[in-house]
Amino acid sequence: MRSFTPREVVSELDRYIVGQDQAKRAVAIALRNRWRRQRVPGELRDEIQPKNILMIGPTGVGKTEIARRLAKLADAPFLKVEASKFTEVGYVGRDVESIVRDLADVAIKMVREEEMNKVRAQANTLVEERLLDALYPTGGATGGETGEDTTRERLREKLRKGELDQREVEIETSERSTPRLEIFSPQGVEEMGVSIGDLMGNMMPKRSRQRRVTVIQAREVLYEEEAQRLVDPDSAREKAVERVEQSGVVFLDEIDKITRASTQAGQSAEVSREGVQRDLLPIIEGSSVQTKHGIVRTDHILFVAAGAFHVARPSDLVPELQGRFPIRVELDDLGEAEFVRILEEPHNALTKQYRALLQTEGLDLEFKPDAIREIARIAAEVNRETENIGARRLQTVLERLLDQVLFDAPDMPAQTVTVDLELVRDRLAGIAGDRDLSRYIL
């Protein structure tokens, strides 16, 4: 796990997220505590539980982005799920243990990529030899080795310089013929189906087939094959399970939607929602979940839950679940001033994204300061007059504003496109001023 200090974590989050200082501090401390726990000696380390976080705030204020950036900083397996898509055991829908199974799949992918990067040089050497065999097959000749070696070395030099990238070669790749099985069971359709598929795949013989592709395509296919062959699957599986158990992060979105107060549909719906909460309890408190990669303990997985809580309140969650989220932070509503900063400051600001997109067409997009302030004002006004969707409104407004230039860009000569106050008012003022129209367009 990367050893960022809380101050460094907040500084990095500031590059992408405007405001929400309280939430940033909470996740920064939680991340540092995980690093501290792994350095606590003896049995006490296993007794230190993660301090799960409940983020409360309307949509579009940065809850998901904070959790996603946190996982990237920690270089940890991260999974975002919506609590509302789960149902109580016995109902039709996904069971909560699939959260852990999906998180294990994420970790396996991460570890395999890391292990493949470690053997990249060795895999590339093997790929090069296979490509040379395809480009210049010797045919098992016993004479003229010196001439063949010279020709092979010349091809090797051209191959490394990229001069042969577009030449077609015929390569042999291995593939496994596996029957597709779907089994319905309490453990979940996706889990049992894949496990039996893997079992049958190991029993079935591998087949190879000939493919005719360019050298550059062959390099990718062969690299994947050789790198996977060099990676020990058992070791990768063990590392992935350990990473899930020690540093996994689960972001439970829309947790307010599984409270009793979130529905007036009737008692049965309320019971089902409370049942989902009680099914989540063992996972969050710490239990063992069987996955196709092995048994995963959930005691030290960090859970970050979030919800708008417009209708429900955090106290509407079952008491046991409330106790498993000791850290609660409220995220602030975003207004006009924050929208201006969001458009200008973050490393991935929307204005920078659109500028980069249009640069691919030879256009230089320039936003005037008064235009950015007007865009922010219109977005804030539409949020007040209709549904408040936070910073996501900026995406809708900008897409509407730049619709014409995005459409015409391929046919326009290289030039600077300036977005000024006049253009913004011309394109958006009429729509923003009409409440009924803005409800459907913006």
Side-chain angles (χ1 to χ4, degrees):
M1 179 180 290
R2 298 174 182 173
S3 56
F4 289 104
T5 66
R7 198 176 303 278
E8 289 172 339
V9 172
V10 171
S11 177
E12 184 65 19
L13 292 176
D14 284 341
R15 296 178 61 204
Y16 300 95
I17 302 156
V18 170
Q20 314 303 0
D21 295 335
Q22 184 184 2
K24 290 175 183 175
R25 286 175 63 91
V27 297
I29 293 170
L31 182 60
R32 186 64 178 185
N33 280 341
R34 307 193 84 189
W35 180 86
R36 291 165 177 155
R37 175 191 156 271
Q38 293 189 5
R39 280 148 185 80
V40 173
E43 297 179 358
L44 185 59
R45 178 173 58 189
D46 293 331
E47 300 299 325
I48 299 175
Q49 299 296 318
K51 305 302 184 289
N52 298 322
I53 301 169
L54 177 62
M55 293 195 290
I56 304 165
T59 183
V61 296
K63 301 187 297 292
T64 304
E65 189 69 8
I66 287 174
R68 190 166 64 89
R69 295 293 172 184
L70 177 71
K72 283 190 175 183
L73 283 174
D75 195 22
F78 172 76
L79 182 71
K80 176 185 180 294
V81 294
E82 295 180 2
S84 55
K85 75 177 182 180
F86 297 100
T87 60
E88 185 180 4
V89 171
Y91 290 76
V92 177
R94 299 197 72 189
D95 69 290
V96 295
E97 288 191 351
S98 65
I99 295 173
V100 183
R101 293 195 288 267
D102 291 344
L103 188 63
D105 290 338
V106 171
I108 281 287
K109 184 179 179 181
M110 287 180 63
V111 171
R112 280 179 179 165
E113 288 178 355
E114 292 172 4
E115 296 298 311
M116 287 170 66
N117 284 332
K118 291 179 182 178
V119 299
R120 180 179 294 275
Q122 188 178 353
N124 282 332
T125 300
L126 295 172
V127 169
E128 187 177 86
E129 295 302 324
R130 289 183 65 177
L131 283 173
L132 288 172
D133 289 341
L135 288 165
Y136 187 66
T138 59
T142 57
E145 288 83 355
T146 304
E148 289 180 357
D149 291 345
T150 302
T151 303
R152 190 177 180 90
E153 290 307 311
R154 282 201 298 265
L155 283 173
R156 188 190 305 276
E157 186 177 345
K158 290 184 177 182
L159 188 64
R160 290 177 178 176
K161 291 180 179 179
E163 296 176 6
L164 306 177
D165 284 353
Q166 300 307 317
R167 181 179 294 188
E168 286 194 348
V169 292
E170 193 171 86
I171 59 172
E172 182 177 318
T173 59
S174 60
E175 60 178 8
R176 185 177 290 164
S177 177
T178 308
R180 180 175 179 83
L181 298 176
E182 290 186 355
I183 293 182
F184 292 86
S185 74
Q187 287 75 32
V189 178
E190 68 281 354
E191 174 60 25
M192 293 301 295
V194 174
S195 296
I196 293 181
D198 289 347
L199 175 64
M200 295 298 294
N202 291 329
M203 295 172 58
M204 300 293 289
K206 290 183 178 180
R207 298 189 308 175
S208 61
R209 68 185 182 101
Q210 299 291 330
R211 296 179 59 185
R212 190 159 189 85
V213 293
T214 62
V215 167
I216 195 168
Q217 292 171 330
R219 194 188 296 275
E220 295 179 7
V221 173
L222 295 177
Y223 171 76
E224 189 79 15
E225 193 173 298
E226 293 295 341
Q228 286 187 2
R229 191 175 294 154
L230 291 170
V231 172
D232 180 6
D234 294 330
S235 174
R237 191 177 298 114
E238 291 173 4
K239 289 180 181 178
V241 169
E242 182 182 6
R243 187 170 298 188
V244 170
E245 293 179 338
Q246 302 302 324
S247 60
V249 179
V250 173
F251 180 69
L252 278 171
D253 202 5
E254 296 186 351
I255 197 167
D256 55 318
K257 301 299 189 298
I258 58 171
T259 63
R260 285 194 172 207
S262 67
T263 179
Q264 304 296 328
Q267 183 67 21
S268 61
E270 294 176 357
V271 169
S272 177
R273 283 163 172 74
E274 186 171 315
V276 175
Q277 294 183 55
R278 298 199 179 278
D279 288 345
L280 280 169
L281 266 175
I283 305 295
I284 298 175
E285 288 179 344
S287 61
S288 297
V289 177
Q290 179 66 49
T291 74
K292 64 180 179 181
H293 310 297
I295 295 177
V296 174
R297 291 285 308 173
T298 66
D299 301 72
H300 300 291
I301 293 176
L302 176 66
F303 287 86
V304 181
F309 290 96
H310 289 312
V311 178
R313 295 169 299 175
S315 57
D316 290 322
L317 295 167
V318 295
E320 299 91 336
L321 194 59
Q322 291 181 48
R324 298 309 300 175
F325 290 91
I327 301 176
R328 297 185 183 181
V329 291
E330 291 191 25
L331 283 81
D332 303 321
D333 281 331
L334 300 176
E336 185 177 332
E338 289 79 18
F339 285 171
V340 171
R341 294 181 59 197
I342 288 170
L343 289 170
E344 293 180 328
E345 296 179 12
H347 183 68
N348 60 337
L350 284 172
T351 53
K352 298 176 183 177
Q353 293 180 28
Y354 279 104
R355 187 176 296 120
L357 286 172
L358 286 174
Q359 280 176 350
T360 63
E361 305 276 9
L363 301 179
D364 186 16
L365 186 64
E366 180 185 353
F367 288 88
K368 294 292 185 181
D370 55 355
I372 287 181
R373 289 192 295 270
E374 183 67 7
I375 292 169
R377 187 194 67 78
I378 291 173
E381 179 184 338
V382 175
N383 273 349
R384 285 193 301 269
E385 297 295 331
T386 61
E387 291 80 11
N388 186 354
I389 60 173
R392 292 190 177 94
R393 182 73 67 187
L394 292 172
Q395 297 182 7
T396 313
V397 170
L398 278 172
E399 194 68 24
R400 179 71 181 179
L401 171 66
L402 301 173
D403 173 78
Q404 192 65 46
V405 67
L406 289 170
F407 185 85
D408 294 334
D411 304 318
M412 295 171 63
Q415 59 181 288
T416 297
V417 178
T418 302
V419 179
D420 55 18
L421 179 61
E422 183 181 354
L423 177 64
V424 174
R425 287 178 174 172
D426 180 60
R427 296 285 298 165
L428 299 177
I431 297 174
D434 189 327
R435 177 180 296 188
D436 293 332
L437 194 58
S438 63
R439 182 180 297 272
Y440 296 101
I441 296 180
L442 293 181

